[in-house]
Amino acid sequence: MANAKLIISLPAQAERELELSGNVSIGSAADNTLCLAHPQVSRWHALIEKRTDGFWVSDLGSATGTLVNGQPLTGGRQLQNGDVISLGPESRLKFFVGNGQSRAFSPESPSVATPPAPPVEVKTEPQAAPPPTFKAPATSSGGLTGTQVAMAVGIGVGVLLILVPLGMWVLSKFSSDCRKARIVSPSSDTLINSPTAVTVKADYSTCIQRVVFYLDGQEFESAAAQPYVAMLDLAKVKARFPGLADGAHDLTIAVEDEKGALKTQPQTVSVKLEFPKAPPPQSGDLVRSLAQGLVSQITGGSGSALIFEPEFLAEINRRTADYRQDVVTSGRKYSSEIRREFGPNHGVPIALGFILALSRSRLSEDSAVSGCGVAPGGIGLWRLPPEAVELRHNSSPAAAAAASLNELMGSFSGPSAFVYAVACFGEPLARAGEIDELLFHLPNREDQTNFWKTAHAIGLKPEEIERVVCFFAAGIVGENPQYFQVNAPPLSSLY
């Protein structure tokens, strides 16, 4: 797909560019990919999605609406080169793709170039003779008069008032310090065992687009406005980079200029990290109760319809450690997209869509973050294989995931249908047919409600069993954070 970018135009601000490489949520809330702090921009205003055929834009139920080339959005719309997206009456984004040229634009001007006006003939009239002039008498000494001296001084002061600010602007723009920044806190050897702000200061910020923060060379955050601050949350960092351990680690930064060029800063701040210890596991009885509550929420029936063997509960309990973090706050920007594609009208319970996304990506589009049983290279929050998305032309990852789940659940029957659909999610539909055939030949068909026993009896793949384990682990933590020392609202608050 050709390179794409947005030209961002806000009142009283210089235009800037944003390269598009994936989905971009837009709004005034700080957790959006593109945060536009404007009173007429809703907290979660619009979403630009990268699909196999290009980029699409949709409104997220904003108060002031979203327009493309002056036309209100009533659903998803594919963006074309030169399209102007309006978020309220004053905030505008211009979309370019391929060889489209970025240039300044007026909100009122059309995207089609206006032909030049015809030349105007200017008629001249005879001019009257100029009025007579006279020379002021020279001073007796032949020097300047007092009036002329005062005028010269006034002109000099005026020139200085113009040149000094201009010189300071040029210095800030082109000085060798323009892309220099430094970490001012924390200092080296600081012990960090709780969420800590990493603060960066730049002497000249006019040419800085953003500051990128790294921990041991791995990017964990970025900031686009001074003071440049990133929150080092050890629980989130550990979830993203599981290999990190207690001990000394290096904080570094890089500065990105207006052209997108990154300059790594020479400073290294070595800090001591002490990651939070995982709380003791919950009892088997509590995990069973929480898992049955999840089943009831998804199926609308009795949670006791499924049997949870002690070994199954122990595995679920063990994998809850992978999901003990607040994902609701960061995942809120995806809520509208998921609710739009899942639910009774689409044949897939909305809770199933949210929990499956949580188990496979922790509600993050960052490709470095994934759940268990997920093959690398997946797309969207559900980490679908690219070929699964491409089969459904013009579909967003959310729509493709909902359609795939609907087909998979149709291959099975009974209250355990969703469990086996989760087990083979991301695999070809033919795999669901193979599993259903194995279930059909069970000596007792009722055994399929005992997933752990049946999965081993019919020889499900280890990764298929792991997907189900992680699904329940993610679901009980997401819906019951209070039992797992997570300070966050329940996942169902998003739907």
Side-chain angles (χ1 to χ4, degrees):
M1 183 181 296
N3 292 334
K5 58 188 170 185
L6 293 175
I7 306 298
I8 304 163
S9 177
L10 299 175
Q13 295 186 27
E15 289 182 358
R16 55 192 176 97
E17 292 186 4
L18 174 66
E19 296 288 339
L20 296 179
S21 58
N23 291 357
V24 175
S25 63
I26 307 168
S28 59
D31 56 2
N32 283 286
T33 312
L34 176 56
C35 178
L36 303 178
H38 192 279
Q40 292 169 335
V41 176
S42 297
R43 288 177 59 77
W44 296 280
H45 196 113
L47 176 69
I48 295 177
E49 298 175 272
K50 183 179 181 181
R51 303 184 185 177
T52 55
D53 61 340
F55 287 87
W56 290 63
V57 62
S58 57
D59 186 80
L60 296 179
S62 64
T64 55
T66 303
L67 288 74
V68 176
N69 300 332
Q71 300 297 316
L73 282 179
T74 56
R77 170 167 173 166
Q78 187 174 13
L79 290 171
Q80 305 297 326
N81 189 42
D83 279 352
V84 177
I85 305 168
S86 302
L87 312 175
E90 296 183 319
S91 303
R92 286 169 174 78
L93 315 173
K94 192 159 189 178
F95 175 80
F96 288 101
V97 65
N99 295 324
Q101 298 298 313
S102 61
R103 58 180 176 84
F105 65 96
S106 167
E108 292 80 17
S109 62
S111 59
V112 179
T114 304
V120 178
E121 180 181 358
V122 180
K123 296 182 178 180
T124 59
E125 300 292 340
Q127 297 183 356
T133 59
F134 65 92
K135 292 184 179 181
T139 60
S140 59
S141 62
L144 296 174
T145 65
T147 301
Q148 291 172 320
V149 171
M151 288 178 63
V153 171
I155 292 171
V157 171
V159 170
L160 285 174
L161 290 175
I162 294 173
L163 290 181
V164 170
L166 180 62
M168 293 179 66
W169 179 85
V170 171
L171 179 64
S172 67
K173 198 74 174 176
F174 300 104
S175 166
S176 60
D177 292 331
C178 185
R179 288 195 301 159
K180 284 188 177 181
R182 62 190 182 280
I183 300 173
V184 293
S185 70
S187 57
S188 289
D189 296 325
T190 298
L191 174 63
I192 297 177
N193 53 18
S194 61
T196 300
V198 181
T199 304
V200 167
K201 183 177 180 182
D203 294 330
Y204 303 104
S205 61
T206 54
C207 69
I208 294 179
Q209 188 75 6
R210 65 177 181 134
V211 172
V212 183
F213 297 77
Y214 299 92
L215 180 64
D216 292 344
Q218 301 181 93
E219 178 182 348
F220 70 90
E221 190 61 272
S222 65
Q226 186 155 241
Y228 304 101
V229 179
M231 187 59 64
L232 182 58
D233 188 322
L234 296 186
K236 292 183 178 180
V237 168
K238 182 70 171 178
R240 185 173 178 183
F241 309 113
L244 294 178
D246 290 355
H249 297 270
D250 292 337
L251 287 172
T252 55
I253 58 171
V255 171
E256 181 180 302
D257 64 18
E258 295 165 315
K259 297 180 180 179
L262 273 176
K263 181 181 180 182
T264 302
Q265 305 300 295
Q267 180 191 23
T268 297
V269 174
S270 182
V271 293
K272 297 176 181 178
L273 302 186
E274 189 176 89
F275 290 94
K277 302 298 183 289
Q282 299 292 350
S283 69
D285 288 341
L286 176 61
V287 174
R288 175 183 284 106
S289 175
L290 298 180
Q292 289 176 339
L294 215 59
V295 173
S296 179
Q297 184 181 1
I298 292 171
T299 65
S302 172
S304 60
L306 295 187
I307 299 172
F308 289 88
E309 294 281 351
E311 295 88 347
F312 190 16
L313 294 173
E315 276 300 297
I316 294 172
N317 200 359
R318 183 178 69 84
R319 296 312 291 258
T320 59
D322 297 336
Y323 299 97
R324 298 186 185 196
Q325 62 183 98
D326 177 11
V327 295
V328 173
T329 302
S330 59
R332 196 176 300 279
K333 58 187 173 185
Y334 305 114
S335 175
S336 298
E337 177 187 3
I338 300 175
R339 286 188 282 111
R340 186 171 63 242
E341 302 297 345
F342 290 84
N345 294 336
H346 298 277
V348 183
I350 192 168
L352 181 58
F354 273 90
I355 297 170
L356 185 61
L358 174 59
S359 72
R360 293 177 69 86
S361 69
R362 300 190 185 94
L363 291 182
S364 170
E365 288 190 308
D366 186 344
S367 59
V369 180
S370 64
C372 49
V374 180
I379 295 175
L381 299 178
W382 295 267
R383 298 297 192 263
L384 275 167
E387 58 271 17
V389 178
E390 291 170 2
L391 284 174
R392 308 176 191 280
H393 300 293
N394 299 329
S395 290
S396 66
S404 178
L405 265 177
N406 192 22
E407 290 177 347
L408 292 171
M409 290 178 64
S411 301
F412 305 102
S413 59
S416 60
F418 79 92
V419 178
Y420 293 96
V422 169
C424 54
F425 185 79
E427 299 185 31
L429 186 60
R431 176 56 180 164
E434 294 172 2
I435 295 176
D436 185 57
E437 182 70 16
L438 294 170
L439 294 175
F440 181 78
H441 289 94
L442 285 173
N444 183 359
R445 288 280 294 193
E446 297 300 317
D447 282 349
Q448 66 180 338
T449 60
N450 187 334
F451 173 77
W452 190 259
K453 175 181 176 181
T454 299
H456 290 85
I458 65 177
L460 288 189
K461 302 173 187 175
E463 61 268 26
E464 292 171 339
I465 297 174
E466 189 179 33
R467 289 176 197 140
V468 176
V469 169
C470 291
F471 176 85
F472 279 102
I476 66 174
V477 175
E479 192 56 27
N480 307 276
Q482 70 277 13
Y483 290 114
F484 299 94
Q485 290 74 49
V486 178
N487 184 20
L491 183 65
S492 56
S493 65
L494 295 179
Y495 55 90

